[in-house]
């Protein structure tokens, strides 16, 4: 269904997930500018449009795509900016787009990790809405994305960081509803921590083994290792004051009545993304680029150090991932087997 909406929207970081949401909004008639740092991707989209391949259909759209350097030529300001860049690129991205965000505009970090407060410090709490996203997709070739969770299987959680912004949540919901289901959270920072637990369990360790979900769960000790990583993240977050908050379509009752929250979260994400999805850290390893492990598992490790909580699983994931990034070792099933073996007695 195409609609007429006057809001001017920018999507910054149109990698896999950013491209998916861009295509959904554009196909529904919204005014979207796509901004990305991969030149070949931008040029391919300009020439041939954007293709999103989903399990049950393919979406192809013509787009309005720009290189980062083009931002300096913009003369208009945006009502809504959706930021999809890697968490470690958040600060400079927000500074880049800040002059082009309307005075009453809204910036939303549709990202992993605990970046909402950093965004608020840069563009102002009066222009920030927090977001948690469950969207699985893969991008290796310019202009073409494999989307594992189509809109009907995608979920966004939105929430205000300050009371003054609660009335503005609807403005973002009106846009993101075309890309997935939208829930509203009264504790968005806690919701983002809950998603960090999910990512701490599933992303880094699978990437160390270069494993898809089905391959990972076939390995002896893998599930226990993942759940232990989640347990550590749970303890650290609770120690820092975060509260259990429903995400990914779960209800508060399901969260409250679960004996093992991390197990509920792991089973939910595994069901939603399917057995063959490549998580974003694994994609980063294959591309030879920096991943977000330092801001996911590393966040758990740093929090544990502050609180005096041991986090050996997350510590190990960070350590091994750094060695992979440095080129000292290569992701493989044998490598993850070594990791599991080295952590016996701690799982």
């Amino acid at each position: 269904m195409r609609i007429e909406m006057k809001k001017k929207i920018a999507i910054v970081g149109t990698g896999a997930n950013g491209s998916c949401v861009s295509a959904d909004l554009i196909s529904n008639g919204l005014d979207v500018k796509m901004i990305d740092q991969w030149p070949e991707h931008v040029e391919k989209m300009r020439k041939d449009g954007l293709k999103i391949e989903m399990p049950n259909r393919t979406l192809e759209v013509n787009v309005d795509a720009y290189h980062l350097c083009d931002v300096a030529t913009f003369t208009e300001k945006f009502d809504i900016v959706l930021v999809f860049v890697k968490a470690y690129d958040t600060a400079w991205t927000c500074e880049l787009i800040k002059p082009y965000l309307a005075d009453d505009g809204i910036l939303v970090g549709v990202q992993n990790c605990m970046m909402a407060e950093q965004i608020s410090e840069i563009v102002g709490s009066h222009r920030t809405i927090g977001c948690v996203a469950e969207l699985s997709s893969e991008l290796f070739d310019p202009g073409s994305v494999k989307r594992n969770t189509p809109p009907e299987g995608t979920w966004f959680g939105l929430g205000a960081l300050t009371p003054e912004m609660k009335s503005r949540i609807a403005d973002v919901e009106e846009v993101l509803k075309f890309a997935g289901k939208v829930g509203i959270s009264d504790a968005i920072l806690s919701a983002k921590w809950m998603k960090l637990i999910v990512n701490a369990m599933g992303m880094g360790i699978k990437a160390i083994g270069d494993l898809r979900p089905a391959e990972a769960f076939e390995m002896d000790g893998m599930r226990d290792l993942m759940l232990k990583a989640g347990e550590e993240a749970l303890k650290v977050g609770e120690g820092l004051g975060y509260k259990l908050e429903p995400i990914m379509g779960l209800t508060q009752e399901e969260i409250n009545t679960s004996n093992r929250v991390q197990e509920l979260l792991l089973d939910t994400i595994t069901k939603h993304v399917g057995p063959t999805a490549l998580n974003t850290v694994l994609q980063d390893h294959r591309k030879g680029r920096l991943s977000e492990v330092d801001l996911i598992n590393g966040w758990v490790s740093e929090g544990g150090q502050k609180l005096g909580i041991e986090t050996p699983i997350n510590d190990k994931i960070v350590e091994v991932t750094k060695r992979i990034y440095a080129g000292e070792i290569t992701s493989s099933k044998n490598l993850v087997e070594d990791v599991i073996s080295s952590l016996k007695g701690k799982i």
Side-chain angles (χ1 to χ4, degrees), residues 210-229:
D210 195 44
L211 300 168
R212 298 174 187 270
E215 297 169 328
F217 287 113
E218 289 176 353
M219 296 185 62
D220 291 340
M222 174 63 88
R223 181 176 173 86
D224 290 339
L225 182 71
M226 295 167 73
L227 290 173
K228 186 64 177 179

Side-chain angles (χ1 to χ4, degrees), residues 143-161:
S144 182
V145 178
K146 177 187 176 186
R147 182 171 180 174
N148 302 308
T149 51
E152 58 271 20
T154 296
W155 178 88
F156 302 98
L158 298 174
L161 276 64

Side-chain angles (χ1 to χ4, degrees), residues 118-135:
Q118 183 183 61
I119 291 171
S120 178
E121 290 174 1
I122 294 171
V123 303
S125 61
H126 64 293
R127 297 195 292 181
T128 304
I129 291 290
C131 180
V132 183
E134 183 195 7
L135 168 55

Side-chain angles (χ1 to χ4, degrees), residues 51-73:
K51 178 188 289 187
I52 311 293
E53 296 183 354
M54 293 175 269
N56 55 356
R57 63 190 183 277
T58 297
L59 174 62
E60 297 185 63
V61 295
N62 292 320
V63 306
D64 195 16
Y66 296 85
H67 299 286
L68 287 178
C69 58
D70 294 325
V71 172
T73 69

Side-chain angles (χ1 to χ4, degrees), residues 318-330:
V318 171
E319 173 198 335
V320 175
T321 300
K322 285 181 177 178
R323 293 185 64 201
I324 291 171
Y325 182 65
E328 298 173 7
I329 52 178
T330 303

